[in-house]
Amino acid sequence: MNSLLSFTRLDIPELELFETAVTFEADTDPLSAHEALTDVFGTKAGFGRYLFRADSAVPGRYWVRSVEPWTRWPDGALSALEPKREVIQLAEGLMYRFSLPLCVGREYVEGNEKRVVPFATAQDVEAWFKQMAPSFGLRLLINDIALATLRFSHRGQHFKVQHAIIEGALEVSDAEPLRHRLIRGFGSHRKAGLGMLQLSA
């Protein structure tokens, strides 16, 4: 006796991205890296085309995530990897480990520029993240927060950017807002290499 089995294909929300690494001179600051990357992608980091972050192990190396592969190396690059296609599944209930360096705090406008006074404690950052998590399309399961300071010089000026590094586990609760954040990033100072959410299964 023959039996027929039918299977229904599940439509799982996905996001296709491209990830690469580019290495500049070891003393290349994040704003200079941002200028070179913006020249390649045509927009600033966080404007929907790309995000980047510094490699914690190799000075001058930056990881880049974009919605399309780049067509050429950034000016001044010493080496670069070919962009690797990555498909991230965003089905509700999927759990990921994550890492997120970001700058958040009290925002205000001074002249024509937005200013941020970063939260002073890990508890403030945690309260903000838990409050905002549903609007980001995620449910926070566990987290650990450390405060850090990014210091660098750019064209003779010295910069100090206080930020937080959040690590832990999260669950996808709404694919669309999470897709948006994976492309555009979180918080302020994305042109300094902050705000890129890294997910691992």
Side-chain angles (χ1 to χ4, degrees):
M1 180 175 178
N2 294 329
S3 63
L4 296 175
L5 297 176
S6 68
F7 295 89
T8 301
R9 185 179 179 278
L10 295 176
D11 289 324
I12 298 175
E14 294 179 340
L15 174 62
E16 180 182 81
L17 294 168
F18 295 87
E19 186 168 276
T20 187
V22 56
T23 303
F24 298 96
E25 295 284 355
D27 60 351
T28 300
D29 66 85
L31 293 183
S32 296
H34 177 260
E35 289 173 0
L37 291 167
T38 295
D39 188 48
V40 171
F41 290 106
T43 57
K44 296 177 182 178
F47 278 68
R49 298 287 300 281
Y50 82 97
L51 293 167
F52 77 111
R53 64 176 175 84
D55 188 303
S56 59
V58 180
R61 184 163 72 184
Y62 293 87
W63 291 96
V64 184
R65 179 193 293 153
S66 60
V67 294
E68 56 190 36
W70 59 18
T71 55
R72 62 180 174 84
W73 285 12
D75 291 341
L78 301 179
S79 65
L81 299 177
E82 283 300 310
K84 177 185 172 185
R85 178 177 176 268
E86 180 182 5
V87 177
I88 302 173
Q89 293 186 335
L90 298 173
E92 291 184 14
L94 279 180
M95 188 183 81
Y96 290 95
R97 293 190 302 274
F98 78 95
S99 177
L100 174 61
L102 83 168
C103 177
V104 289
R106 185 178 59 82
E107 298 182 359
Y108 66 96
V109 176
E110 184 179 277
N112 293 328
E113 293 189 13
K114 183 179 77 170
R115 302 288 185 185
V116 180
V117 178
F119 290 130
T121 68
Q123 291 79 12
D124 289 337
V125 176
E126 182 176 30
W128 173 87
F129 197 50
K130 285 183 175 178
Q131 178 186 358
M132 298 300 294
S135 68
F136 296 151
L138 58 88
R139 187 167 73 87
L140 197 58
L141 301 177
I142 56 173
N143 71 89
D144 181 58
I145 299 173
L147 299 182
T149 303
L150 176 62
R151 290 183 171 88
F152 60 91
S153 296
H154 177 73
R155 295 180 180 169
Q157 287 188 294
H158 301 294
F159 292 86
K160 182 173 76 170
V161 182
Q162 296 171 314
H163 62 286
I165 300 170
I166 310 175
E167 297 179 326
L170 60 80
E171 194 175 86
V172 178
S173 61
D174 190 339
E176 202 50 46
L178 184 53
R179 178 187 283 113
H180 177 80
R181 287 293 169 179
L182 284 167
I183 293 171
R184 298 187 68 96
F186 293 76
S188 301
H189 299 304
R190 280 168 261 189
K191 67 180 182 180
L194 300 176
M196 190 170 98
L197 177 65
Q198 298 168 252
L199 299 175
S200 58

